[in-house]
Amino acid sequence: MLSGKKLLLASGSPRRRELLSALDVDTEIVKLVDVDESYPADLSPAKVAEYVACKKRDAYDVTSLKNNEILVTADTVVVQDGKVLGKPHDADDAREMLKLLSGNTHQVVTGVTLSTNSKTVSFSTVTYVHFDTLTDSEINLYIGQYKPFDKAGAYGIQEWIGYIGIKGIEGCYYNVMGLPLHDLYKHLRDFE
């Protein structure tokens, strides 16, 4: 369905690289440009990831893309009680995030921007994640062993904490990993 297209993924995330490769589309990883991931304080938490994905796209000269190339940028945030949880700064920050998520349901929002040399489309996908109550020792073990400092909300669903702590999800599992493959494929298929 996507033959002839070449995806240029601008991401440092090994999970996004792995997920995108699963679509069996010609993919190249492009140099990740350092982007200020701040956002306006009055922006709806549900729009933050898409806003940052657009900022990442703006760091590239999309007019120089070849006709068959599509630049893919993405950002993922966790939203708990209207508060955006990005990547933790350190172990204490990660501990606080996991305590907020423990025993609660939160949203994982991934914003994706697709750009050719003449067109840009952005979208967001939301997944609801139901966490069981975590003990302090479980949180400390996870942070100490897995060092989740590169993950929004301080956890990876595909890691130990996901196995023992997540009771269920509503929506796309891959979205929680950082790339909503079903929605991405639909947008790519329809992208001309």
Side-chain angles (χ1 to χ4, degrees):
M1 294 302 282
L2 301 175
S3 62
K5 304 277 188 212
K6 182 174 186 177
L7 304 182
L8 305 177
L9 178 63
S11 176
S13 166
R15 287 159 301 284
R16 284 197 184 109
R17 293 174 184 180
E18 176 188 343
L19 290 170
L20 195 57
S21 71
L23 290 181
D24 284 337
V25 180
D26 186 16
T27 303
E28 178 182 323
I29 306 303
V30 297
K31 185 178 186 298
L32 184 63
V33 177
D34 192 25
V35 174
D36 170 20
E37 296 187 14
S38 63
Y39 51 88
D42 61 345
L43 188 64
S44 163
K47 292 292 183 186
V48 169
E50 192 172 322
Y51 178 87
V52 175
C54 287
K55 283 179 82 171
K56 290 177 180 179
R57 184 269 334 247
D58 290 345
Y60 294 89
D61 177 15
V62 294
T63 61
S64 67
L65 294 173
K66 295 177 184 159
N67 287 337
N68 68 326
E69 294 178 331
I70 301 172
L71 179 69
V72 179
T73 57
D75 192 67
T76 301
V77 297
V78 168
V79 180
Q80 176 67 51
D81 295 330
K83 180 179 180 182
V84 175
L85 306 178
K87 297 172 187 168
H89 303 294
D90 55 29
D92 289 336
D93 198 22
R95 195 171 290 105
E96 287 306 309
M97 287 183 185
L98 289 170
K99 284 183 179 185
L100 277 174
L101 301 179
S102 174
N104 290 306
T105 297
H106 63 273
Q107 298 172 312
V108 176
V109 184
T110 300
V112 178
T113 298
L114 306 173
S115 299
T116 63
N117 55 18
S118 62
K119 179 180 176 184
T120 295
V121 171
S122 295
F123 65 93
S124 293
T125 299
V126 179
T127 302
Y128 293 86
V129 179
H130 308 282
F131 251 101
D132 203 350
T133 301
L134 302 170
T135 66
D136 288 345
S137 61
E138 289 167 339
I139 291 171
N140 290 332
L141 174 86
Y142 177 66
I143 293 168
Q145 244 181 307
Y146 291 87
K147 312 220 182 313
F149 309 120
D150 65 336
K151 296 172 177 64
Y155 79 92
I157 192 170
Q158 73 282 7
E159 294 177 341
W160 180 80
I161 200 83
Y163 305 150
I164 64 102
I166 295 176
K167 294 191 292 188
I169 67 169
E170 296 171 59
C172 178
Y173 171 82
Y174 302 106
N175 184 51
V176 184
M177 288 180 67
L179 205 57
L181 290 181
H182 176 77
D183 288 349
L184 175 61
Y185 178 78
K186 285 194 324 186
H187 279 86
L188 287 169
R189 184 188 60 201
D190 300 337
F191 199 73
E192 296 299 329

